[in-house]
Amino acid sequence: MAKIFAEYTLVDHGWDDPNTDPVEHLETIEGRDNVDQKFIHNGVTGYPENHVWMFEGNGTVLALFDGTPDEGGTEIAEADVLAKLVNEYGFPAETTMGADGLPVVPETAA
């Protein structure tokens, strides 16, 4: 089967105050301690389910599939994946693509 890369946009559903009725959507949780000023996170959706590898960054996910990718993503040409990983996902410039189609990050001296 062909390996296909696709990118997905994640949807963050934000925060709510569970102590208000009806629940109040919070613009920010900055300064709240979640002890006296409660907040709950409503979750994030948009993750692909049938991937063989994925990496998340900046509200998006780049995923690799064996065959047909999940719906909702934008297919990324294999030739463009390495540049995207370096420029948009923060991989080191020396990253290469392995024979298995997965990125190989260079080892760094400790």
Side-chain angles (χ1 to χ4, degrees):
M1 290 192 122
K3 293 194 181 300
I4 298 174
F5 285 92
E7 188 171 49
Y8 296 80
T9 301
L10 300 176
V11 177
D12 187 332
H13 298 284
W15 303 89
D16 285 334
D17 184 337
N19 295 325
T20 60
D21 189 22
V23 173
E24 173 191 1
H25 182 72
L26 302 172
E27 294 297 320
T28 180
I29 60 168
E30 187 175 336
R32 287 182 170 244
D33 59 18
N34 212 15
V35 174
D36 297 313
Q37 297 168 301
K38 297 284 186 185
F39 56 85
I40 57 171
H41 188 244
N42 296 316
V44 176
T45 57
Y47 290 97
E49 295 182 9
N50 299 309
H51 60 280
V52 294
W53 174 88
M54 75 174 182
F55 191 84
E56 179 181 346
N58 299 324
T60 59
V61 168
L62 183 63
L64 173 64
F65 298 86
D66 278 332
T68 307
D70 291 356
E71 289 185 22
T74 303
E75 193 169 327
I76 306 297
E78 192 169 349
D80 298 333
V81 168
L82 190 55
K84 183 174 275 295
L85 287 171
V86 171
N87 296 325
E88 297 177 27
Y89 287 86
F91 277 62
E94 299 80 21
T95 303
T96 59
M97 296 302 281
D100 58 1
L102 297 178
V104 178
V105 179
E107 291 187 26
T108 57

